């Protein structure tokens, strides 16, 4: 009897057979069916109808970017649960900061100028600001491979022989709960918070407007929502719809749009050019996920954990976290494997300095930037610029002290390539068999969810006439030494006339017609470092 009791008390591990719904898709819908909500409802009048608002005096506009020392950094991901790694003994390791382009925004300390602060240098004044921002956290792309792994698990769970144990036991009852393409609640919150922060930093510039601002975005659902959430944070929920004008530019094949330039660059759609990044990254995934495959495959029977499926599990960790707040997939991978994931996701060969169409794609926005800086209309249409919209001072005004454009991660990557931020490309082409130490190109620092590229137009000393410019990438000051005429500066400053002259020279070097339309073969090896096809 004692032996029987002891046997029952011994721990043992048995594989769990999956439920019939494992891997199936779960979809919820709100508002509830049949619910109605009219603009005018006598039971629920709006604030203007109720009255009794109390005193409503406004104060002075904030200018924290010129006064706030120390600078307030972006560090929180509330209300998301910060995940652990499979070997998560090191509490200082932040898994989220190794999610590549799917990482939430965080303030970057330095891009090679450790003493520089995002706060306006002492003695200078802020005259204008140009913002390109990425949309917030979203669901996976429609019909992406992330969704297919759920389909595969569901199919396997419906057959005999499928079982899971250990760290994968949760798959027995796991269901796929993700939508597609649209912003998650965290994504909406990030853009709203960015709008609030931007008002604190640059609100004083609103005093220089003589008409309502025009902000731009593209027509994709997540782009429109990102722009509107930013505006609601910047202007306020009650008034944002009447405090500015939102321009929505069509994002579709054969439409010129500098915020979605890939649709005007046919070569980028070619497998050997546009998908070069994926080809190169696959070589690396076969290396960095090899140990994970050996570790996790024994925990699942009746389902082959291929390298690609393990990669999609890493993506499920990310997408579930930003959509649902938490994911059990995160704990499956070690710190080294998360470092490997980020390196896989680096945009070097796909949208960065290593792709021959990158500079051409970013060219259009850079031309628009020069037009705004010089208050001179564009008169040469040799890129993704939209001649209809950019020829109008209504849809493309040139006298705003604040410009806000909403775009994509890949576009921000191409813009900084066109701007020739050589410090980011300093360590050269990325190898596909190892992670080089101290690499300069890290995409979570370049184009995370809700990422921001800011050009500060300054006067040094402070005056009404701008004299200098500098760029912040996710709060990190970027050296401008890749632009002819811009010299080394501890604060990242470049004299405005020198910048304009140097960037016009760079514009002249980029051959949009060739790099986006010519019939050429990718160089092998690909040693491109400036986003242009070798001349």
């Amino acid at each position: 009897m004692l032996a029987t009791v002891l046997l029952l008390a011994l721990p043992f591990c048995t594989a769990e057979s999956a439920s019939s719904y494992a891997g199936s898709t779960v979809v919820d819908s709100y508002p509830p069916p049949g619910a109605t909500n009219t603009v005018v409802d006598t039971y629920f009048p709006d604030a203007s109808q109720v009255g009794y608002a109390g005193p409503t005096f406004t104060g002075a506009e904030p200018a924290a970017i010129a006064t706030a020392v120390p600078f307030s950094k972006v560090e929180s991901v509330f209300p998301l649960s910060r995940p652990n790694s499979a070997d998560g003994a090191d509490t200082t390791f932040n898994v989220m900061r190794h999610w590549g382009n799917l990482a939430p925004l965080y303030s970057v300390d330095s891009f090679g100028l450790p003493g520089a602060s995002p706060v306006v240098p002492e003695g200078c004044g802020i005259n204008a600001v140009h913002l390109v921002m990425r949309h917030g956290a979203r669901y996976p792309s429609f019909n992406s491979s992330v969704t297919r792994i759920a389909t595969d698990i569901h199919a396997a769970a419906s057959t005999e022989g499928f079982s899971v144990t250990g760290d994968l036991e949760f798959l027995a009852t796991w269901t796929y709960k993700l939508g597609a393409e649209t912003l998650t609640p965290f994504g909406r919150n990030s853009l709203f918070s960015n709008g609030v922060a931007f008002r604190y930093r640059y609100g004083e510039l609103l005093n220089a407007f003589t008409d309502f601002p025009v902000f731009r975005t593209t027509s994709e659902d997540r782009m429109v929502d990102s722009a509107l959430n930013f505006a609601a944070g910047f202007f306020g929920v009650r008034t944002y719809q009447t405090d500015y004008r939102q321009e929505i530019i069509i994002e579709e094949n054969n439409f010129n749009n500098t915020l979605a330039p890939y649709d005007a660059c046919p070569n980028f759609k070619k497998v050997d050019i546009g998908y070069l990044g994926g080809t190169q990254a696959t070589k690396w995934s076969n290396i960095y996920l090899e140990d994970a495959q050996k570790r996790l495959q024994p925990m699942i029977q009746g389902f082959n954990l291929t390298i690609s499926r393990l990669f999609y599990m890493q993506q499920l960790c990310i997408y579930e976290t930003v959509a649902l707040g938490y994911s059990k997939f995160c704990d499956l991978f070690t710190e080294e494997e998360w470092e490997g994931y980020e390196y896989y996701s680096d945009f070097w060969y796909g949208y960065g300095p290593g792709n021959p169409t990158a500079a051409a794609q970013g060219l259009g926005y850079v031309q628009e930037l020069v037009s705004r800086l010089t208050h001179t209309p564009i008169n040469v249409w040799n890129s993704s610029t939209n001649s209809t919209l950019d020829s109008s001072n209504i849809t493309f005004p040139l006298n705003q002290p604040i410009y806000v454009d909403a775009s994509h991660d890949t576009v921000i990557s191409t813009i900084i390539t066109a701007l020739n931020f050589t410090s980011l490309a300093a360590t050269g082409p990325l190898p596909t068999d190892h992670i080089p130490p101290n690499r300069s190109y890290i995409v979570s620092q370049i184009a995370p969810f809700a990422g921001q590229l800011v050009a500060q137009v300054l006067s040094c000393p402070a005056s009404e006439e701008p004299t200098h410019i500098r760029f912040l990438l996710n709060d990190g000051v970027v050296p401008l030494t890749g632009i002819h005429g811009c010299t080394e500066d501890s604060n990242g400053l470049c004299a405005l006339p020198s910048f304009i002259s140097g960037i016009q020279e760079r514009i002249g070097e980029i051959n949009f017609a060739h790099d986006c339309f010519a019939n050429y073969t990718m160089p092998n090896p690909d040693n491109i470092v400036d986003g242009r096809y070798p001349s």
Side-chain angles (χ1 to χ4, degrees), residues 275-496:
Y275 295 92
L276 175 65
T279 302
Q280 298 292 73
T282 298
K283 300 174 186 176
W284 169 240
S285 65
N286 289 327
I287 296 172
Y288 89 86
L289 284 172
E290 184 179 8
D291 288 344
Q293 187 180 41
K294 293 176 182 177
R295 185 176 66 252
L296 295 172
Q297 183 62 74
M299 300 179 192
I300 185 167
Q301 304 300 315
F303 189 80
N304 185 16
L305 276 183
T306 62
I307 292 295
S308 59
R309 283 173 170 171
L310 287 167
F311 173 75
Y312 300 142
M313 284 182 169
Q314 286 188 296
Q315 289 201 311
L316 275 169
C317 151
I318 301 169
Y319 283 120
E320 284 192 341
T321 300
V322 299
L324 308 174
Y326 170 77
S327 174
K328 288 187 176 181
F329 285 99
C330 300
D331 299 348
L332 299 177
F333 301 96
T334 65
E335 293 176 7
E336 185 176 354
E337 287 155 4
W338 280 117
E339 290 172 344
Y341 174 86
E342 174 168 63
Y343 190 61
Y344 177 105
S345 301
D346 279 340
F347 279 0
W348 180 276
Y349 292 105
Y351 313 96
N355 190 284
T357 68
Q361 289 187 62
L363 173 63
Y365 176 82
V366 174
Q367 291 173 317
E368 290 178 334
L369 175 65
V370 171
S371 176
R372 289 165 167 175
L373 290 173
T374 60
H375 311 292
T376 303
I378 297 171
N379 56 22
V380 176
W381 309 102
N382 60 352
S383 68
S384 61
T385 49
N386 187 307
S387 60
T388 302
L389 297 176
D390 285 3
S391 294
S392 168
N393 60 6
I394 296 174
T395 51
F396 192 68
L398 299 176
N399 59 346
Q400 295 189 168
I402 299 174
Y403 294 93
V404 176
D405 294 321
S407 189
H408 299 271
D409 49 353
T410 57
V411 181
I412 290 175
S413 181
T414 62
I415 288 172
I416 64 175
T417 302
L419 286 167
N420 208 31
F421 288 171
T422 52
S423 63
L424 298 178
T427 54
L430 301 181
T432 58
D433 59 354
H434 70 281
I435 302 176
N438 305 314
R439 73 187 189 278
S440 56
Y441 199 87
I442 302 174
V443 78
S444 66
Q445 298 180 0
I446 294 171
F449 279 138
Q452 299 183 323
L453 174 64
V454 173
Q456 293 178 334
V457 182
L458 308 167
S459 52
C460 303
S463 69
E464 292 185 2
E465 289 299 317
T467 61
H468 290 78
I469 190 171
R470 70 174 186 165
F471 287 80
L472 314 179
L473 185 55
N474 303 316
D475 293 337
V477 182
V478 183
L480 297 180
T481 49
I483 298 166
H484 185 237
C486 293
T487 57
E488 291 186 10
D489 184 272
S490 60
N491 289 309
L493 293 170
C494 181
L496 189 56

Side-chain angles (χ1 to χ4, degrees), residues 24 31 59 77 80 108 118 134 149 218 327 341-342 399 470 525 527:
S24 62
V77 292
L80 306 183
V108 178
R134 185 192 175 191
I149 191 172
T218 83
S327 174
Y341 174 86
E342 174 168 63
N399 59 346
R470 70 174 186 165
N527 291 319

Side-chain angles (χ1 to χ4, degrees), residues 137-151:
R138 60 169 175 83
Y139 292 112
S141 301
F142 180 66
N143 277 340
S144 74
S145 298
V146 175
T147 63
R148 289 180 211 142
I149 191 172
T151 304

